[in-house]
Amino acid sequence: MSYINNHKQQFTDLKFQIANQDQLRRQANGGNSILFSYPPDEEHLYIEKARELYQDTVEFIDVSQLLVKLIDEEGWGSFKDYYQSMASSAHKVFHDEDAQEHDLFDLIISEIKLACQNNKIPFLIRTGCLYGTGIENVNIMEHKAVMNLAHPLVIFYPSRVEDDNLYFLNFKIASTYRCTLVK
């Protein structure tokens, strides 16, 4: 189904899910997140429409910008050296629960919490940048801070749904545990 035919219903469903947080928590196994699924090649259309519809009530958290921020903070040379030294477990560069340094996962969680502190609904966009980082949507959704937010987290999720299976970026099977799916 094309963007034009599908987006109105999806955004109506999203508005309903956001407004009914108690029902969301029941449907999401205690979670507090909504996966907003759309075809990867139409991402710009869905994000543009969301910016138009929700400009005053949400905070758009762009994962691609956070990735660039992480690299800029480290400096390209330092980041490259660290990444290469971690070649056998490169995903830990982006999400390492045992490390004391902040990483991409920490930046994402901080931005989500900040959005809610500012009484905005956090919309996580450009999540395709997470592929290969070891950060899965379920890692974010099950984080204690996200589970206890005053507003639900909305994750814009480039994917397809086929036979009750969700495929991130159209090929990697993804989890819908701890969330509801708007498709």
Side-chain angles (χ1 to χ4, degrees):
M1 189 177 274
S2 74
Y3 168 77
I4 292 171
N5 295 329
N6 201 30
H7 83 277
K8 288 182 183 180
Q9 185 61 51
Q10 279 187 271
F11 282 107
T12 299
D13 293 347
L14 178 60
K15 184 177 181 180
F16 176 80
Q17 290 292 335
I18 290 170
N20 294 291
Q21 196 168 8
D22 289 336
Q23 180 178 332
L24 165 67
R25 288 183 192 275
R26 284 191 298 277
Q27 291 175 340
N29 303 305
N32 192 28
S33 301
I34 301 165
L35 284 184
F36 187 79
S37 175
Y38 51 85
D41 61 335
E42 295 179 351
E43 181 170 55
H44 66 285
L45 297 169
Y46 281 91
I47 291 173
E48 183 179 306
K49 188 64 175 178
R51 288 187 192 280
E52 176 188 318
L53 293 173
Y54 295 101
Q55 60 187 338
D56 297 326
T57 59
V58 309
E59 183 71 35
F60 290 93
I61 302 165
D62 188 329
V63 175
S64 67
Q65 290 178 359
L66 294 179
L67 178 60
V68 170
K69 180 180 177 179
L70 174 73
I71 294 169
D72 285 348
E73 285 176 358
E74 296 293 321
W76 174 247
S78 294
F79 179 82
K80 182 180 89 172
D81 291 344
Y82 182 55
Y83 187 83
Q84 288 174 336
S85 73
M86 300 289 288
S88 63
S89 56
H91 64 279
K92 289 190 174 194
V93 171
F94 305 103
H95 179 45
D96 186 352
E97 294 177 20
D98 299 326
Q100 293 193 344
E101 302 87 24
H102 76 280
D103 53 27
L104 180 59
F105 184 79
D106 296 331
L107 283 174
I108 292 168
I109 297 300
S110 294
E111 290 294 318
I112 291 168
K113 291 186 328 190
L114 183 60
C116 278
Q117 288 169 359
N118 292 329
N119 200 29
K120 300 279 187 172
I121 302 165
F123 275 32
L124 200 59
I125 62 172
R126 304 279 190 230
T127 57
C129 290
L130 295 175
Y131 184 73
T133 64
I135 301 171
E136 303 282 338
N137 62 325
V138 72
N139 301 127
I140 297 168
M141 294 183 302
E142 288 187 333
H143 191 277
K144 183 179 179 181
V146 172
M147 298 277 286
N148 294 312
L149 293 173
H151 300 291
L153 169 64
V154 177
I155 301 174
F156 272 55
Y157 210 68
S159 56
R160 72 179 156 87
V161 179
E162 185 178 292
D163 299 327
D164 292 330
N165 291 314
L166 180 66
Y167 295 90
F168 182 58
L169 297 175
N170 282 348
F171 65 90
K172 183 179 185 294
I173 291 185
S175 173
T176 57
Y177 187 67
R178 298 280 192 215
C179 68
T180 61
L181 178 63
V182 173
K183 55 183 178 172

